[in-house]
Amino acid sequence: MDKFIIEGGNSLYGSVRISGAKNAALPAMAAAILTSDDVHLSGMPDLADVTTMVDLLEKMGIRTEGYKENAQDTDLQRSITINTSGINTYDAPYELVKTMRASVLVLGPLAARYGSARVSLPGGCAIGSRPIDLHLKGLAALGANVSIDHGYINIKAKKLKAAKIVFDTTTVTGTENIMMAATLAEGTTVVENAAKEPEVTSLAEQLVRMGARIKGAGTDILVIEGVHKLQGCSFDIIPDRIEAGTYIIAAAASGGEVEITNCNPRHLDALLFKIKEAGISYTETDSSITVKREKQSRIRSVSIKTMPYPNFPTDLQAQFMTLMTQGDNTSVITETIFENRLMHVGELRRMGADIRVEGNIAIVKGKTGLMGAPIMATDLRASASLVIAGLIADGRTEVSRIYHLDRGYEIMEKKLSSIGARVKRVKE
Ligand code: EPU
């Protein structure tokens, strides 16, 4: 297992290029199951979760080319070509699903194209119980027979039939699963209370390029007119707004001047609004954001509440909390998406942060001088918040279990080092 050793205190200067979005790449790969033609995806990030999805597809007999071969070549624009014509099983086994919940994204495409799927039911995870009941209710509404045995979801369907589906809660991968399934269903499906995240919109664009008929992407009502067949496509993965947001927050917390390139500022409006409210200045172009802060300048404490897009993302809550430990007053951070996503609080406290938790609310008192300490990553975004804490702490911080980080941040230690942070990856 690897860990990061961070010597805190440096301001950050330079430029960081953002990778393709993990949460766009995973559904884009699953969507390849909807056609027997080649699906070519470019701008792919080099991440453990993407490798898990490659393994899952290959286990089903699906051919992938280009991704694993270039695994070490970090300067290369990664791409992958997926061809599902050799598929020989519709199973997603427990070993893979337990390492990556997003494996459930194969459910919708398998149900639509093959009328059969057997996918391990994901268990609870570090950030909450995360049921997938809405995915399953949606598929059942489309006419699939859904049953659960021995920890596996079994789907059987002849031909999916269009339906009106109203999600009780906005669900990102649930919307993606149902949208994919409905592209090949008979008739016109309407999904209400659909997720509006840029990754959902990106998937809709890819599906349309494959011949799907989808209206309303980016709004909460999707209208999907089923077609007989989809074809292959070439598609570019959108930049990772959460990775970009993480570097924006790292730069704001550390001070300095950092240009974050290959990002879409419009996907980050909720964060940028709060960054501005906190008194941190930034400039933007169509595809970059430059954050600038004098190290000694005041950071205003501001409150946030996580909500589905376009509101403040839960995936940036932990990182923003670290920034708020440097605020001039009190910040109230409310997590409304996941019930257990304040695990980083304990570790931040060990570094000297003054944070009180009441249910799903964290009350962060600033400004506290953080002290380097041995700390442990608990999930992907919590880990990022701890790395940022290490960057601004006095002395040396050791972040263990950074396999969590490798799931969603490409070469983070290299990117941070290139802008002046002192971060080393070592074997534990
Ligand atoms: N929910 C249900 N039933 C369902 C589905 C969801 O009750 O059938 C609940 C969840 O328990 C949660 C809420 O609905 O309380 C929202 O969950 P959602 O389904 O939107 O989450 P997800 O699709 O499992 C994706 C991202 C997450 C991100 C969330 C929220 C992917 C692969 N994952 O998860 O990303 O936090 O949306 O935006 O797209 C991450 O990258 O670190 C990460 C966790």
Coordinates of all heavy atoms in Angstrom, one line a residue, residues 217-297:
A217 N -31.8 16.6 -22.0 CA -30.6 16.4 -21.2 C -30.2 17.7 -20.6 O -30.2 18.8 -21.2 CB -29.5 15.9 -22.1
G218 N -29.8 17.7 -19.3 CA -29.4 18.9 -18.6 C -30.6 19.6 -17.9 O -30.5 20.5 -17.2
T219 N -31.8 19.0 -18.1 CA -33.0 19.4 -17.4 C -33.5 18.3 -16.6 O -33.0 17.2 -16.7 CB -34.2 19.9 -18.4 OG1 -34.8 18.7 -18.9 CG2 -33.7 20.7 -19.5
D220 N -34.6 18.5 -15.8 CA -35.0 17.4 -14.9 C -36.0 16.5 -15.6 O -36.5 15.6 -15.0 CB -35.4 17.8 -13.5 CG -36.4 18.9 -13.5 OD1 -36.9 19.2 -14.6 OD2 -36.6 19.5 -12.5
I221 N -36.3 16.7 -16.9 CA -37.2 15.8 -17.6 C -36.5 15.3 -18.8 O -36.2 16.1 -19.7 CB -38.6 16.5 -17.9 CG1 -39.2 17.0 -16.7 CG2 -39.5 15.5 -18.7 CD1 -40.6 17.6 -16.9
L222 N -36.3 14.0 -18.9 CA -35.7 13.4 -20.1 C -36.8 12.7 -20.9 O -37.6 12.0 -20.3 CB -34.7 12.4 -19.7 CG -33.4 12.8 -19.0 CD1 -32.6 11.6 -18.5 CD2 -32.6 13.7 -20.0
V223 N -36.7 12.9 -22.2 CA -37.7 12.2 -23.1 C -36.8 11.3 -24.0 O -36.0 11.9 -24.8 CB -38.6 13.2 -23.9 CG1 -39.5 12.4 -24.8 CG2 -39.3 14.1 -22.9
I224 N -37.0 10.0 -23.9 CA -36.2 9.1 -24.7 C -37.0 8.3 -25.6 O -37.8 7.5 -25.1 CB -35.4 8.2 -23.7 CG1 -34.6 9.1 -22.7 CG2 -34.4 7.3 -24.5 CD1 -34.6 8.5 -21.3
E225 N -36.9 8.5 -26.9 CA -37.7 7.7 -27.9 C -36.8 6.5 -28.3 O -35.7 6.7 -28.8 CB -38.0 8.6 -29.1 CG -39.0 8.1 -30.1 CD -39.0 8.9 -31.3 OE1 -38.8 10.2 -31.2 OE2 -39.2 8.4 -32.4
G226 N -37.3 5.3 -28.0 CA -36.5 4.1 -28.2 C -36.3 3.9 -29.7 O -37.1 4.3 -30.5
V227 N -35.1 3.4 -30.1 CA -34.8 3.1 -31.4 C -34.5 1.6 -31.5 O -34.3 0.9 -30.5 CB -33.6 3.9 -32.0 CG1 -33.9 5.4 -32.0 CG2 -32.3 3.7 -31.1
H228 N -34.4 1.1 -32.7 CA -34.2 -0.3 -32.9 C -32.7 -0.8 -32.6 O -32.5 -1.8 -32.0 CB -34.5 -0.6 -34.4 CG -34.8 -2.0 -34.6 ND1 -35.8 -2.7 -34.0 CD2 -34.1 -3.0 -35.4 CE1 -35.8 -4.0 -34.4 NE2 -34.8 -4.1 -35.2
K229 N -31.8 0.1 -32.9 CA -30.4 -0.3 -32.9 C -29.5 1.0 -32.7 O -29.9 2.0 -33.2 CB -30.1 -0.9 -34.3 CG -28.9 -1.7 -34.4 CD -28.8 -2.4 -35.7 CE -27.5 -3.0 -35.9 NZ -26.8 -2.6 -37.1
L230 N -28.4 0.8 -32.0 CA -27.5 1.9 -31.9 C -26.2 1.6 -32.6 O -25.9 0.4 -32.8 CB -27.2 2.2 -30.4 CG -28.3 2.8 -29.6 CD1 -27.8 3.1 -28.1 CD2 -28.9 4.1 -30.2
Q231 N -25.4 2.6 -33.0 CA -24.2 2.3 -33.7 C -23.0 2.8 -32.9 O -23.2 3.5 -31.9 CB -24.2 3.0 -35.1 CG -24.1 4.5 -35.1 CD -25.2 5.2 -35.8 OE1 -26.2 4.6 -36.2 NE2 -25.1 6.5 -35.9
G232 N -21.8 2.5 -33.4 CA -20.6 3.0 -32.7 C -20.4 4.5 -32.8 O -21.1 5.2 -33.5
C233 N -19.4 5.0 -32.1 CA -19.1 6.4 -32.1 C -17.7 6.7 -31.6 O -17.1 5.8 -31.0 CB -20.1 7.2 -31.3 SG -19.9 7.0 -29.5
S234 N -17.3 7.9 -31.9 CA -16.1 8.4 -31.2 C -16.5 9.5 -30.3 O -17.3 10.4 -30.7 CB -15.1 9.0 -32.3 OG -14.5 7.9 -33.0
F235 N -16.0 9.6 -29.1 CA -16.5 10.5 -28.2 C -15.4 11.0 -27.2 O -14.6 10.1 -26.8 CB -17.7 9.9 -27.4 CG -18.5 11.0 -26.6 CD1 -19.3 11.8 -27.3 CD2 -18.4 11.1 -25.2 CE1 -20.0 12.8 -26.6 CE2 -19.1 12.0 -24.5 CZ -19.9 12.9 -25.2
D236 N -15.4 12.2 -26.9 CA -14.3 12.8 -26.0 C -14.9 13.0 -24.6 O -16.0 13.6 -24.4 CB -14.0 14.2 -26.6 CG -12.6 14.6 -26.3 OD1 -11.8 13.7 -25.8 OD2 -12.2 15.7 -26.5
I237 N -14.2 12.4 -23.6 CA -14.7 12.5 -22.2 C -14.5 14.0 -21.7 O -13.4 14.6 -21.9 CB -13.8 11.6 -21.3 CG1 -14.0 10.1 -21.8 CG2 -14.2 11.7 -19.9 CD1 -15.4 9.6 -21.8
I238 N -15.5 14.5 -21.1 CA -15.4 15.9 -20.6 C -14.4 15.9 -19.4 O -14.1 15.0 -18.7 CB -16.8 16.4 -20.1 CG1 -17.4 15.5 -19.0 CG2 -17.8 16.6 -21.2 CD1 -18.6 16.0 -18.3
P239 N -13.9 17.2 -19.2 CA -12.9 17.3 -18.1 C -13.6 17.1 -16.7 O -14.8 17.3 -16.6 CB -12.4 18.8 -18.2 CG -12.9 19.2 -19.5 CD -14.1 18.4 -19.9
D240 N -12.8 16.6 -15.8 CA -13.3 16.3 -14.4 C -13.5 17.5 -13.6 O -12.5 18.1 -13.1 CB -12.3 15.3 -13.8 CG -12.9 14.6 -12.6 OD1 -13.6 15.3 -11.8 OD2 -12.7 13.4 -12.5
R241 N -14.8 17.9 -13.4 CA -15.0 19.1 -12.6 C -14.7 19.0 -11.2 O -14.3 19.9 -10.5 CB -16.5 19.5 -12.8 CG -17.5 18.6 -12.2 CD -18.9 18.8 -12.6 NE -19.7 17.7 -12.3 CZ -20.5 17.6 -11.2 NH1 -20.7 18.6 -10.4 NH2 -21.2 16.5 -11.0
I242 N -14.7 17.7 -10.7 CA -14.3 17.6 -9.2 C -12.8 17.6 -9.1 O -12.3 18.2 -8.1 CB -14.9 16.2 -8.7 CG1 -16.4 16.2 -9.0 CG2 -14.6 16.0 -7.2 CD1 -17.3 17.3 -8.3
E243 N -12.1 17.1 -10.0 CA -10.6 17.2 -9.9 C -10.3 18.7 -10.0 O -9.5 19.2 -9.2 CB -9.9 16.4 -11.0 CG -8.4 16.4 -10.8 CD -7.6 16.0 -12.1 OE1 -8.1 16.0 -13.2 OE2 -6.4 15.6 -11.9
A244 N -10.9 19.4 -11.0 CA -10.6 20.9 -11.1 C -10.9 21.6 -9.9 O -10.1 22.4 -9.4 CB -11.4 21.4 -12.3
G245 N -12.1 21.3 -9.3 CA -12.5 22.0 -8.0 C -11.5 21.7 -6.9 O -11.2 22.6 -6.1
T246 N -11.0 20.5 -6.9 CA -10.1 20.1 -5.8 C -8.8 21.0 -5.9 O -8.3 21.5 -4.9 CB -9.7 18.6 -5.9 OG1 -10.9 17.9 -5.8 CG2 -8.7 18.2 -4.8
Y247 N -8.3 21.2 -7.2 CA -7.1 22.0 -7.3 C -7.4 23.5 -7.1 O -6.5 24.2 -6.6 CB -6.5 21.8 -8.7 CG -5.7 20.5 -8.8 CD1 -6.3 19.3 -9.4 CD2 -4.5 20.3 -8.2 CE1 -5.6 18.1 -9.4 CE2 -3.8 19.1 -8.1 CZ -4.4 18.0 -8.8 OH -3.8 16.8 -8.7
I248 N -8.6 23.9 -7.4 CA -9.0 25.3 -7.1 C -8.9 25.5 -5.6 O -8.4 26.5 -5.1 CB -10.4 25.6 -7.6 CG1 -10.4 25.6 -9.1 CG2 -11.0 26.9 -7.0 CD1 -11.8 25.7 -9.8
I249 N -9.5 24.6 -4.9 CA -9.5 24.7 -3.4 C -8.1 24.6 -2.8 O -7.7 25.3 -1.9 CB -10.4 23.6 -2.8 CG1 -11.9 23.9 -3.2 CG2 -10.3 23.6 -1.3 CD1 -12.9 22.8 -2.9
A250 N -7.3 23.7 -3.4 CA -5.9 23.5 -2.9 C -5.1 24.8 -3.1 O -4.4 25.3 -2.2 CB -5.2 22.4 -3.7
A251 N -5.3 25.5 -4.3 CA -4.6 26.7 -4.5 C -5.1 27.8 -3.6 O -4.3 28.6 -3.1 CB -4.8 27.1 -6.0
A252 N -6.4 27.9 -3.4 CA -7.0 28.9 -2.5 C -6.5 28.7 -1.1 O -6.1 29.7 -0.4 CB -8.5 28.8 -2.5
A253 N -6.4 27.5 -0.6 CA -5.9 27.2 0.7 C -4.5 27.5 0.9 O -4.0 28.1 1.9 CB -6.3 25.8 1.1
S254 N -3.7 27.1 -0.1 CA -2.2 27.3 0.0 C -1.7 28.7 -0.3 O -0.6 29.0 0.2 CB -1.5 26.3 -0.9 OG -1.9 25.0 -0.8
G255 N -2.5 29.4 -1.0 CA -2.0 30.7 -1.5 C -1.1 30.5 -2.7 O -0.6 29.4 -3.0
G256 N -0.8 31.6 -3.5 CA 0.0 31.5 -4.7 C -0.9 31.8 -5.9 O -1.9 32.6 -5.8
E257 N -0.5 31.3 -7.1 CA -1.2 31.6 -8.3 C -1.2 30.3 -9.2 O -0.2 29.9 -9.6 CB -0.6 32.8 -9.0 CG -1.4 33.1 -10.2 CD -1.0 34.5 -10.8 OE1 -0.3 35.3 -10.2 OE2 -1.4 34.7 -12.0
V258 N -2.3 29.7 -9.3 CA -2.4 28.4 -10.1 C -3.4 28.5 -11.2 O -4.6 28.9 -11.0 CB -2.7 27.2 -9.1 CG1 -2.8 26.0 -9.9 CG2 -1.7 27.1 -8.0
E259 N -3.0 28.2 -12.4 CA -3.9 28.1 -13.5 C -4.3 26.7 -13.7 O -3.5 25.8 -13.8 CB -3.1 28.6 -14.8 CG -4.0 28.6 -16.0 CD -3.2 28.7 -17.3 OE1 -2.0 28.2 -17.3 OE2 -3.7 29.2 -18.3
I260 N -5.6 26.5 -13.7 CA -6.2 25.1 -13.9 C -6.7 25.0 -15.3 O -7.7 25.7 -15.7 CB -7.3 24.9 -12.8 CG1 -6.6 24.8 -11.4 CG2 -8.1 23.6 -13.1 CD1 -7.0 25.8 -10.4
T261 N -6.1 24.2 -16.1 CA -6.4 24.2 -17.6 C -7.2 22.9 -17.9 O -7.3 22.0 -17.1 CB -5.2 24.2 -18.5 OG1 -4.4 23.0 -18.2 CG2 -4.3 25.4 -18.2
N262 N -7.8 22.9 -19.1 CA -8.7 21.9 -19.6 C -9.8 21.6 -18.6 O -10.1 20.5 -18.2 CB -7.9 20.6 -19.8 CG -8.7 19.5 -20.5 OD1 -9.5 19.8 -21.4 ND2 -8.6 18.3 -20.0
C263 N -10.5 22.7 -18.2 CA -11.7 22.5 -17.4 C -12.8 23.4 -18.0 O -12.6 24.3 -18.8 CB -11.4 22.8 -16.0 SG -11.1 24.6 -15.6
N264 N -14.0 23.1 -17.6 CA -15.2 23.9 -18.0 C -15.7 24.7 -16.8 O -16.4 24.2 -15.9 CB -16.3 23.0 -18.6 CG -17.5 23.8 -19.1 OD1 -17.6 25.0 -18.7 ND2 -18.3 23.2 -19.9
P265 N -15.3 26.0 -16.7 CA -15.7 26.8 -15.6 C -17.2 26.8 -15.3 O -17.7 26.9 -14.2 CB -15.3 28.2 -15.9 CG -14.2 28.1 -16.9 CD -14.5 26.8 -17.7
R266 N -18.0 26.6 -16.3 CA -19.5 26.6 -16.2 C -20.0 25.4 -15.3 O -21.0 25.4 -14.8 CB -20.2 26.6 -17.5 CG -20.1 28.0 -18.3 CD -20.8 29.2 -17.6 NE -20.2 29.6 -16.3 CZ -19.0 30.2 -16.2 NH1 -18.4 30.6 -17.3 NH2 -18.5 30.5 -15.1
H267 N -19.1 24.3 -15.3 CA -19.5 23.2 -14.5 C -19.2 23.4 -13.0 O -19.5 22.6 -12.2 CB -18.7 21.9 -15.0 CG -19.2 21.4 -16.3 ND1 -18.5 20.5 -17.0 CD2 -20.2 21.8 -17.1 CE1 -19.1 20.3 -18.2 NE2 -20.2 21.1 -18.2
L268 N -18.5 24.5 -12.7 CA -18.0 24.8 -11.4 C -18.6 26.0 -10.8 O -18.1 26.6 -9.8 CB -16.5 24.9 -11.4 CG -15.8 23.5 -11.6 CD1 -14.4 23.7 -12.3 CD2 -15.6 22.8 -10.3
D269 N -19.7 26.5 -11.4 CA -20.3 27.8 -10.9 C -20.6 27.8 -9.4 O -20.3 28.8 -8.7 CB -21.6 28.1 -11.7 CG -21.2 28.7 -13.1 OD1 -20.2 29.3 -13.2 OD2 -22.1 28.6 -14.0
A270 N -21.1 26.7 -8.9 CA -21.5 26.7 -7.4 C -20.3 26.9 -6.6 O -20.3 27.6 -5.6 CB -22.3 25.5 -7.1
L271 N -19.2 26.2 -6.9 CA -17.9 26.3 -6.2 C -17.4 27.7 -6.3 O -17.0 28.4 -5.3 CB -16.9 25.3 -6.6 CG -15.5 25.5 -6.0 CD1 -15.5 25.2 -4.5 CD2 -14.5 24.7 -6.7
L272 N -17.3 28.2 -7.6 CA -16.7 29.5 -7.8 C -17.4 30.6 -7.1 O -16.8 31.6 -6.6 CB -16.6 29.8 -9.3 CG -15.7 28.9 -10.1 CD1 -15.8 29.1 -11.6 CD2 -14.2 29.1 -9.7
F273 N -18.7 30.5 -7.0 CA -19.5 31.5 -6.3 C -19.1 31.6 -4.8 O -18.9 32.6 -4.2 CB -21.0 31.1 -6.4 CG -21.9 32.1 -5.9 CD1 -22.2 33.3 -6.7 CD2 -22.6 32.0 -4.6 CE1 -23.1 34.3 -6.2 CE2 -23.4 33.0 -4.2 CZ -23.7 34.1 -5.0
K274 N -18.8 30.4 -4.2 CA -18.4 30.3 -2.8 C -17.0 30.8 -2.7 O -16.6 31.4 -1.7 CB -18.6 28.9 -2.3 CG -20.0 28.5 -2.1 CD -20.7 29.3 -1.0 CE -22.2 29.1 -1.0 NZ -22.8 29.9 0.0
I275 N -16.1 30.5 -3.7 CA -14.7 30.9 -3.6 C -14.7 32.5 -3.6 O -13.9 33.1 -2.9 CB -14.0 30.4 -4.9 CG1 -13.8 28.9 -4.7 CG2 -12.7 31.1 -5.2 CD1 -12.7 28.5 -3.7
K276 N -15.6 33.1 -4.4 CA -15.6 34.5 -4.5 C -16.1 35.1 -3.2 O -15.6 36.0 -2.6 CB -16.6 34.9 -5.7 CG -16.4 36.3 -6.1 CD -17.2 36.5 -7.4 CE -17.1 37.9 -7.8 NZ -17.9 38.1 -9.1
E277 N -17.2 34.5 -2.7 CA -17.8 34.9 -1.4 C -16.7 34.8 -0.3 O -16.7 35.6 0.7 CB -18.9 34.0 -1.0 CG -20.0 34.6 -0.2 CD -21.1 33.6 0.1 OE1 -21.4 32.7 -0.8 OE2 -21.7 33.6 1.2
A278 N -15.8 33.9 -0.4 CA -14.7 33.7 0.6 C -13.6 34.7 0.4 O -12.7 34.8 1.2 CB -14.2 32.3 0.5
G279 N -13.8 35.6 -0.6 CA -12.8 36.7 -0.8 C -11.6 36.2 -1.6 O -10.6 36.9 -1.6
I280 N -11.7 35.1 -2.3 CA -10.5 34.6 -3.1 C -10.8 35.0 -4.5 O -11.8 34.7 -5.1 CB -10.4 33.1 -2.9 CG1 -10.0 32.8 -1.4 CG2 -9.3 32.5 -3.8 CD1 -10.5 31.5 -0.9
S281 N -9.7 35.6 -5.1 CA -10.0 36.0 -6.5 C -9.5 35.0 -7.5 O -8.6 34.2 -7.3 CB -9.3 37.4 -6.8 OG -7.9 37.2 -6.5
Y282 N -10.2 35.0 -8.6 CA -9.9 34.1 -9.7 C -10.3 34.8 -11.0 O -11.1 35.7 -11.1 CB -10.6 32.8 -9.6 CG -12.1 32.9 -9.7 CD1 -12.7 32.8 -11.0 CD2 -12.9 33.1 -8.6 CE1 -14.1 32.9 -11.1 CE2 -14.3 33.2 -8.8 CZ -14.9 33.1 -10.0 OH -16.2 33.2 -10.2
T283 N -9.7 34.3 -12.1 CA -10.1 34.8 -13.4 C -10.4 33.5 -14.2 O -9.9 32.4 -13.9 CB -9.0 35.6 -14.2 OG1 -7.8 34.8 -14.2 CG2 -8.7 36.9 -13.5
E284 N -11.1 33.6 -15.3 CA -11.4 32.4 -16.1 C -11.4 32.7 -17.6 O -11.6 33.8 -18.0 CB -12.8 31.8 -15.7 CG -13.9 32.8 -15.8 CD -15.3 32.2 -15.5 OE1 -15.4 31.7 -14.3 OE2 -16.2 32.2 -16.3
T285 N -11.1 31.7 -18.4 CA -11.4 31.7 -19.8 C -12.4 30.6 -20.1 O -12.9 30.0 -19.1 CB -10.1 31.4 -20.6 OG1 -9.7 30.0 -20.4 CG2 -8.9 32.2 -20.1
D286 N -12.6 30.3 -21.4 CA -13.6 29.2 -21.7 C -13.2 27.9 -21.1 O -14.0 27.0 -20.8 CB -13.7 29.1 -23.2 CG -14.5 30.2 -23.8 OD1 -15.1 31.0 -23.0 OD2 -14.5 30.3 -25.0
S287 N -11.8 27.7 -20.9 CA -11.4 26.4 -20.6 C -10.3 26.4 -19.4 O -9.6 25.4 -19.3 CB -10.8 25.6 -21.8 OG -9.7 26.4 -22.2
S288 N -10.3 27.5 -18.7 CA -9.3 27.5 -17.6 C -9.8 28.4 -16.5 O -10.6 29.3 -16.7 CB -7.9 27.9 -18.1 OG -7.9 29.3 -18.4
I289 N -9.2 28.2 -15.3 CA -9.5 29.1 -14.2 C -8.2 29.3 -13.5 O -7.4 28.4 -13.3 CB -10.5 28.4 -13.2 CG1 -11.8 28.1 -13.8 CG2 -10.7 29.2 -11.9 CD1 -12.7 27.1 -13.1
T290 N -7.9 30.6 -13.2 CA -6.7 30.9 -12.5 C -7.0 31.5 -11.1 O -7.8 32.5 -11.0 CB -5.8 32.0 -13.3 OG1 -5.5 31.4 -14.5 CG2 -4.5 32.2 -12.6
V291 N -6.5 30.8 -10.1 CA -6.8 31.2 -8.7 C -5.6 32.0 -8.2 O -4.5 31.5 -8.3 CB -7.1 30.0 -7.8 CG1 -7.4 30.4 -6.4 CG2 -8.3 29.2 -8.4
K292 N -5.9 33.1 -7.5 CA -4.7 33.9 -7.0 C -5.0 34.3 -5.6 O -6.1 34.9 -5.3 CB -4.6 35.1 -7.9 CG -3.3 35.8 -7.7 CD -3.2 36.9 -8.8 CE -2.0 37.8 -8.6 NZ -1.9 38.8 -9.6
R293 N -4.1 34.1 -4.7 CA -4.3 34.5 -3.3 C -3.0 34.8 -2.6 O -2.1 33.9 -2.7 CB -5.1 33.5 -2.5 CG -5.4 34.1 -1.1 CD -6.3 33.2 -0.3 NE -5.6 32.1 0.4 CZ -5.0 32.2 1.6 NH1 -4.9 33.4 2.2 NH2 -4.4 31.2 2.1
E294 N -2.9 35.9 -2.0 CA -1.7 36.2 -1.2 C -1.8 35.3 0.0 O -2.8 35.3 0.6 CB -1.7 37.7 -0.8 CG -1.5 38.7 -1.8 CD -0.2 38.7 -2.5 OE1 0.8 38.3 -1.7 OE2 0.0 39.0 -3.7
K295 N -0.7 34.7 0.3 CA -0.7 33.7 1.4 C -1.3 34.3 2.7 O -2.0 33.6 3.5 CB 0.7 33.2 1.7 CG 0.6 31.9 2.5 CD 1.9 31.2 2.5 CE 1.8 30.0 3.3 NZ 2.8 29.0 3.0
Q296 N -1.0 35.5 3.0 CA -1.4 36.1 4.3 C -2.8 36.7 4.3 O -3.3 37.1 5.3 CB -0.4 37.1 4.8 CG 1.0 36.6 5.1 CD 1.0 35.3 5.9 OE1 0.2 35.1 6.8 NE2 1.9 34.4 5.6
S297 N -3.4 36.7 3.1 CA -4.7 37.4 3.0 C -5.8 36.7 3.7 O -5.7 35.4 3.8 CB -5.0 37.7 1.5 OG -5.3 36.4 0.9

